[in-house]
């Protein structure tokens, strides 16, 4: 299959991007300054991320759509205000995760942001569940641009006036350059920031404008170190069809009001696990010293019994040391538990630690 | 000091008497990206030509470091273990990896000179 390109591909090229294939797309892993510089720039200034490979699924409908979606997602959608977003999951009957996603209630229905590698499957699953009652559009004509970091609000507001009035996890339509943009105050870096849904033909000029105002393009490499420092899950690593939200330590994302009566796909398993606990759970892990424990590194207890596996591990530029996440047996999931990581045949000491590794700076209560 | 020689695994080597100094090339560091971890062989250990003699990790991945010749490790560069970013800054100078007392100088004959290596690096990275 031919590799897909986003509408910013030429701009990435002219900014000396190194490309990798990601979920069938040619995506920039880094630009000339490198992952660490890009990471630090995002934390101190403003980074631009091309996330156009992600799915933008519009589902159109009224209250009856809300009712149908409540049978699917563990969310209190009836009480979700228009233009408010929630982090959630698409699950199977065993509460295995097809995808993690952000769902926003919009005037016309719902907008769901899906992972690139999962979006086609998600569309199929949702189409089967919803039938033909509601119009669904996995919109390939729109790009998705994230701008993240403390200077982002000032930069974006100078182009799209009014975005500074958005609270974290809310969004709205804005007019700019004779077109409608959907902007949410959200992101996946642990920084304040925005995601902008924009038509493909306007995306390049829009990003050039952001660069002119002082923001810089950031690749997927830094996106990964940023999200890992923020303790955020990445589908295909922390999350997959064999993991449940309870095991992934994401019970905060399940609406409390939905737990008493269930009625969403996977609710039985979720309710059982909430009561009895899951046998394995996702934790933060800090190796001692500088050693990096990558994905699939085996985790042992101090008596050499295997108790789990790393799902993501890298060097955290803002933490200035190695960081990881992984799954361990429940009895070893407490913060400060001593564990051992087997790297290149040797076992190295590490500690279970609290997440995130890097404290968030989300904006709440602007208005 | 002898002419700098290069291996296909992107190590450089210089010889002074029977002691060789070995590091990774600038081209290698450019391919790896930001280096955040380095592991060196133990002093006093013996390493075999083309065998692993260390590890470097970038933000992206781990890579083995090979030794282009056999010998006994007589010194290692602790400063790159303490601050791996130094490897990106000066890979072919102060950021050498280890020194070997070499057994067989003829092992150097199979290695490339600078011109050959530059050509090799260009061909293999495109």
């Amino acid at each position: 299959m031919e590799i897909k390109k986003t509408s910013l591909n030429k701009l990435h090229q002219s900014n000396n991007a190194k490309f990798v294939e990601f979920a069938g797309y040619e995506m920039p892993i880094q630009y000339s300054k490198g992952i660490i510089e890009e990471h630090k720039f995002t934390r101190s200034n403003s980074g631009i991320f091309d996330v156009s490979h992600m799915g933008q699924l519009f589902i159109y409908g009224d209250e009856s759509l809300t009712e149908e979606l409540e049978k699917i997602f563990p969310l209190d959608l009836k009480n979700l205000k228009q233009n408010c977003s929630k982090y959630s999951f698409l699950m199977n009957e065993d509460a295995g995760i097809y995808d993690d996603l952000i769902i926003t209630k919009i005037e016309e229905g719902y907008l769901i942001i899906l992972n690139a590698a999962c979006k086609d499957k998600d569309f199929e699953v949702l189409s089967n569940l919803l039938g033909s009652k509601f119009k669904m559009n996995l919109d390939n004509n729109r790009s998705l641009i994230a701008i993240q970091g403390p200077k982002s609000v000032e930069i974006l507001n100078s182009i799209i006036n009014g975005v500074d009035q958005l609270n974290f996890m809310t969004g709205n339509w804005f007019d700019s350059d004779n077109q409608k943009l959907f902007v949410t105050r959200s992101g996946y870096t642990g920084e304040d920031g925005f995601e902008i849904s924009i038509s493909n033909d306007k995306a390049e000029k829009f990003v050039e404008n952001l660069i002119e105002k002082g923001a810089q393009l950031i690749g997927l490499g830094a996106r990964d170190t940023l999200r890992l420092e923020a303790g955020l899950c990445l589908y295909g690593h922390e999350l997959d069809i064999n993991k449940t939200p309870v095991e992934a330590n994401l019970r905060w994302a399940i609406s409390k009001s939905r737990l008493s009566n269930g009625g969403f796909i996977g609710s039985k398993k979720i309710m059982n696990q909430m009561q009895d606990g899951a046998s394995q759970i996702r934790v933060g892990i800090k190796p001692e010293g500088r050693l990096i424990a990558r994905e699939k590194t085996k985790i042992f207890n101090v008596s050499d019994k295997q108790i789990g596996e790393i799902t993501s591990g890298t060097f955290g530029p803002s933490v200035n040391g190695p960081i990881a996440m992984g799954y361990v047996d429940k009895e070893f999931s407490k913060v400060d538990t001593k564990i051992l990581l087997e790297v290149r045949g040797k076992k190295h000491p590490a500690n279970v630690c609290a997440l995130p590794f890097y404290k968030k700076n989300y904006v709440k209560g602007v208005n | 000091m002898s002419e700098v020689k290069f291996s296909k695994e992107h190590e450089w080597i210089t010889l002074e008497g029977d002691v060789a100094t070995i590091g990774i090339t600038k081209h290698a560091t450019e391919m790896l990206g930001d280096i955040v971890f380095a592991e060196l062989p133990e002093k006093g250990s013996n390493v075999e030509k083309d065998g692993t003699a260390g590890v470097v990790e970038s933000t992206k991945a781990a890579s083995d470091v090979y030794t282009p010749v056999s010998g006994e490790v007589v010194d290692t560069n602790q400063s790159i273990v303490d601050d791996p970013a130094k490897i990106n800054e000066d890979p072919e100078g102060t950021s050498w990896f280890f020194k070997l007392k070499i057994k067989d100088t003829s092992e150097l004959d199979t290695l490339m000179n600078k011109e050959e290596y530059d050509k090799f690096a260009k061909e293999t990275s495109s």
Side-chain angles (χ1 to χ4, degrees):
Chain A
M1 212 169 71
E2 203 185 330
I3 194 157
K4 288 179 267 189
K5 292 176 180 178
T6 71
S7 56
L8 296 181
N9 192 273
K10 272 194 193 131
L11 190 66
H12 297 317
Q13 275 182 39
S14 59
N15 281 275
N16 301 314
K18 276 191 194 170
F19 287 102
V20 288
E21 186 180 340
F22 183 85
Y25 287 82
E26 184 177 77
M27 298 302 290
I29 181 102
Q30 65 166 82
Y31 302 85
S32 38
K33 284 185 182 159
I35 293 173
I36 292 179
E37 281 299 308
E38 290 175 24
H39 176 114
K40 289 182 173 168
F41 189 83
T42 305
R43 290 255 184 266
S44 65
N45 203 310
S46 176
I48 308 162
F49 302 78
D50 180 9
V51 286
S52 305
H53 54 317
M54 297 183 83
Q56 301 183 57
L57 176 63
F58 289 86
I59 309 180
Y60 300 95
D62 49 17
E63 289 88 39
S64 61
L65 173 60
T66 297
E67 251 168 59
E68 289 303 315
L69 290 179
E70 281 206 348
K71 293 178 191 163
I72 300 171
F73 299 112
L75 292 173
D76 182 6
L77 293 173
K78 284 192 190 94
N79 288 309
L80 183 67
K81 288 190 189 130
Q82 191 179 311
N83 293 328
C84 286
S85 309
K86 286 282 178 188
Y87 175 70
S88 195
F89 336 92
L90 182 60
M91 294 179 283
N92 65 15
E93 290 291 347
D94 294 324
I97 302 170
Y98 282 118
D99 199 1
D100 64 329
L101 50 92
I102 301 275
I103 180 164
T104 306
K105 198 180 220 174
I106 56 175
E107 198 183 344
E108 306 85 346
Y110 289 88
L111 166 60
I112 309 180
I113 305 296
L114 304 163
N115 279 303
C118 306
K119 62 183 180 184
D120 293 324
K121 173 81 179 167
D122 295 343
F123 187 84
E124 193 189 309
V125 169
L126 284 167
S127 302
N128 287 335
L129 290 169
L130 292 171
S132 53
K133 227 170 125 191
F134 307 98
K135 194 183 149 205
M136 287 171 62
N137 178 22
L138 187 57
D139 198 338
N140 288 323
N141 297 317
R142 300 185 79 86
S143 298
L144 191 65
I145 316 295
I147 176 167
Q148 301 277 298
K151 303 254 170 87
S152 302
V153 56
E154 194 188 317
I155 290 171
L156 190 63
N157 204 60
S158 71
I159 299 170
I160 311 170
N161 189 36
V163 295
D164 60 340
Q165 294 304 305
L166 292 171
N167 282 326
F168 184 63
M169 291 301 271
T170 70
N172 215 336
W173 290 102
F174 289 84
D175 289 315
S176 174
D177 191 21
N178 296 319
Q179 68 144 342
K180 286 189 104 183
L181 310 174
F182 194 79
V183 182
T184 58
R185 194 159 201 164
S186 60
Y188 222 62
T189 60
E191 295 296 327
D192 180 29
F194 301 85
E195 287 186 359
I196 303 109
S197 169
I198 181 170
S199 69
N200 288 339
D201 56 326
K202 306 259 185 182
E204 188 180 280
K205 195 181 149 219
F206 175 74
V207 170
E208 280 172 344
N209 208 349
L210 293 174
I211 294 171
E212 230 165 79
K213 307 266 182 193
Q216 285 182 12
L217 283 165
I218 309 294
L220 290 183
R223 186 170 167 81
D224 194 48
T225 55
L226 288 159
R227 71 90 196 169
L228 190 46
E229 279 190 344
L232 299 166
C233 295
L234 181 62
Y235 196 85
H237 300 263
E238 282 69 42
L239 309 178
D240 59 46
I241 198 71
N242 299 312
K243 300 269 177 9
T244 74
V246 180
E247 290 158 5
N249 208 358
L250 296 169
R251 45 176 88 195
W252 57 267
I254 300 165
S255 295
K256 284 202 182 72
S257 64
R258 299 300 311 280
L259 280 172
S260 42
N261 295 321
F264 56 88
I265 296 173
S267 56
K268 257 193 201 144
K269 177 80 174 262
I270 297 264
M271 285 153 89
N272 283 341
Q273 284 194 333
M274 291 285 262
Q275 224 158 43
D276 307 338
S279 58
Q280 282 214 327
I281 196 152
R282 177 178 63 100
V283 293
I285 293 163
K286 193 114 189 46
E288 289 176 12
R290 301 192 66 94
L291 183 94
I292 295 168
R294 307 266 174 195
E295 185 176 8
K296 297 215 162 38
T297 298
K298 288 178 181 158
I299 306 171
F300 295 83
N301 68 6
V302 287
S303 9
D304 262 0
K305 181 187 162 241
Q306 197 186 336
I307 54 163
E309 207 174 88
I310 300 277
T311 47
S312 292
T314 189
F315 175 82
S318 304
V319 174
N320 193 25
I323 52 173
M325 292 198 285
Y327 282 79
V328 294
D329 294 347
K330 189 173 57 178
E331 59 264 45
F332 300 100
S333 61
K334 260 198 166 144
V335 168
D336 292 336
T337 304
K338 293 249 175 250
I339 54 173
L340 298 169
L341 307 174
E342 190 180 82
V343 177
R344 294 182 283 274
K346 268 193 253 171
K347 295 201 176 79
H348 302 266
N351 292 285
V352 173
C353 69
L355 293 170
F357 298 99
Y358 176 87
K359 212 175 163 305
K360 298 181 175 79
N361 291 307
Y362 299 139
V363 171
K364 282 175 190 161
V366 177
N367 53 21
Chain B
M1 205 187 294
S2 75
E3 175 195 19
V4 190
K5 294 267 196 151
F6 298 87
S7 75
K8 285 187 174 169
E9 300 292 347
H10 306 284
E11 284 86 28
W12 57 263
I13 176 169
T14 59
L15 192 63
E16 215 173 346
D18 61 353
V19 175
T21 304
I22 292 157
I24 65 171
T25 65
K26 188 165 190 300
H27 174 74
T29 61
E30 283 164 0
M31 304 229 293
L32 288 165
D34 300 315
I35 294 168
V36 293
F37 177 81
E39 194 176 86
L40 299 173
E42 275 185 43
K43 244 188 256 185
S45 65
N46 283 290
V47 291
E48 292 296 318
K49 178 177 164 63
D50 302 328
T52 57
V55 175
V56 284
E57 296 213 26
S58 71
T59 39
K60 285 175 276 189
S63 308
D64 285 325
V65 175
Y66 299 91
T67 173
V69 295
S70 310
E72 183 195 338
V73 179
V74 292
D75 201 4
T76 57
N77 189 355
Q78 186 60 33
S79 76
I80 62 166
V81 175
D82 297 337
D83 185 5
K86 281 186 177 164
I87 302 166
N88 291 97
E89 287 160 19
D90 189 17
E92 297 184 15
T94 53
S95 298
W96 54 274
F97 275 53
F98 50 90
K99 292 182 194 248
L100 295 182
K101 189 169 181 194
I102 69 168
K103 289 179 187 160
D104 179 2
T105 48
S106 72
E107 284 181 348
L108 272 84
D109 298 344
T110 58
L111 300 172
M112 293 174 272
N113 65 26
K114 176 140 183 59
E115 195 185 335
E116 287 163 338
Y117 174 72
D118 287 346
K119 192 168 166 253
F120 167 79
K122 208 175 162 186
E123 280 168 3
T124 49
S125 63
S126 59

